[in-house]
Amino acid sequence: MSGRFSAAIDYTLALAVLLFAWWLATGPMGLPTYLLPSPLRTWNALVTIALTGELWRHLGFTLQNIVLGLILGCIAGIAIAYVMTRFPKLAVWLDGPLVILQTAPKIALAPLFIVWFGFGVLSKIVLIFSLVFFPVFVGAVAGFRALDPKMKDLSKLLGLSSIQRFRQIELPAAMPEIFVGLKIGAVQALVGAVLAEWMSGKVGLGYLMTFASATYKTPLLFAAVLMTVVLGLLLHVALTILERRLLSWKGAARG
């Protein structure tokens, strides 16, 4: 508990230093607003779009795409990783295509996804999915391969079916590595969602940034960027809480 309190203090002090430096640059140093708006102007722009409801519309659209992409990417990554670890011969066939897809720059593929899947939500989900899938897949493969062989022998001794063994032994054991990949994938999902909205979209935080930049509304641009940062932090906190709940057995086992 003291560790969490200390971390909260560190974050608060870092935020205070950042805000002071921001105020110093826009106040005494006199940087023009079109280059760097003051914290007060940025806050006013954020409050204005929040009161009109525009903020929640854009935020909700981006968040729903990220969550859907995370869920689909997580399910696919775990499923394919499990199949490849259970069937080594199949892994030999799939390893090459997966490596090629992984090395392909997803940012460069974004325009191609738009051509294939249109300007709607589908192309955005596909981009987010592609960014989430590989970190989760790599983490799941590492987790499944690190399973203690004695646990496999125990499952045979208990007469567990394949589904029971996966649900009760293999998946819980691989969860720490899966969450490592999922946290990385969440960051990439946020980047992918904003990028997709930059390129094709009329709603979302990415579109809001593009609109603010095109109309030279720098305070609004900074407000949208800050909301993206806040969303990323909230995603990280949510995944951390979920990880602690699902992996509470680790702490009990150590105790």
Side-chain angles (χ1 to χ4, degrees), residues 80-91 144-145 152 161-163 165-166 170:
I80 295 179
Y82 182 72
V83 170
M84 289 182 64
T85 53
R86 284 296 304 274
F87 304 100
K89 291 184 178 179
L90 182 62
F144 289 135
R145 287 179 177 173
K152 297 180 181 179
S161 65
S162 298
I163 295 177
R165 182 175 63 182
F166 172 77
E170 294 171 327

Side-chain angles (χ1 to χ4, degrees), residues 16-247:
V17 171
L18 179 62
L19 287 175
F20 177 75
W22 187 0
W23 170 82
L24 190 66
T26 57
M29 294 181 63
L31 283 179
T33 303
Y34 66 87
L35 288 180
L36 183 65
S38 66
L40 182 59
R41 284 178 176 269
T42 303
W43 173 256
N44 289 337
L46 185 61
V47 170
T48 299
I49 59 174
L51 292 177
T52 59
E54 284 296 302
L55 174 62
W56 313 118
R57 184 170 69 95
H58 294 296
L59 180 62
F61 182 80
T62 300
L63 181 60
Q64 75 173 15
N65 291 342
I66 291 174
V67 171
L68 186 56
L70 273 173
I71 292 173
L72 295 177
C74 185
I75 292 174
I78 294 173
I80 295 179
Y82 182 72
V83 170
M84 289 182 64
T85 53
R86 284 296 304 274
F87 304 100
K89 291 184 178 179
L90 182 62
V92 174
W93 288 94
L94 292 178
D95 189 59
L98 286 175
V99 169
I100 293 174
L101 291 174
Q102 167 65 358
T103 55
K106 307 301 182 300
I107 304 303
L109 291 177
L112 199 56
F113 290 152
I114 294 174
V115 172
W116 287 346
F117 303 107
F119 288 92
V121 176
L122 183 58
S123 60
K124 298 173 179 59
I125 298 299
V126 171
L127 177 60
I128 296 170
F129 170 87
S130 68
L131 292 168
V132 172
F133 170 80
F134 286 103
V136 174
F137 168 76
V138 172
V141 168
F144 289 135
R145 287 179 177 173
L147 182 65
D148 189 345
K150 294 180 180 179
M151 299 300 293
K152 297 180 181 179
D153 296 336
L154 178 61
S155 66
K156 293 179 181 179
L157 183 63
L158 295 175
L160 299 180
S161 65
S162 298
I163 295 177
Q164 289 175 324
R165 182 175 63 182
F166 172 77
R167 185 170 58 86
Q168 298 177 17
I169 296 178
E170 294 171 327
L171 183 60
M175 271 297 176
E177 288 80 5
I178 290 174
F179 266 102
V180 171
L182 188 57
K183 287 180 179 179
I184 297 173
V187 175
Q188 296 189 1
L190 179 58
V191 174
V194 172
L195 174 68
E197 292 161 1
W198 279 353
M199 301 186 66
S200 65
K202 295 183 178 179
V203 65
L205 292 177
Y207 167 77
L208 190 61
M209 293 179 197
T210 304
F211 170 78
S213 177
T215 54
Y216 299 99
K217 297 180 178 179
T218 313
L220 179 59
L221 175 60
F222 268 73
V225 171
L226 286 177
M227 283 308 304
T228 305
V229 174
V230 171
L231 181 57
L233 291 174
L234 290 177
L235 285 172
H236 180 77
V237 170
L239 288 175
T240 300
I241 293 174
L242 181 62
E243 180 184 18
R244 287 174 180 169
R245 288 183 177 274
L246 292 179
L247 300 181

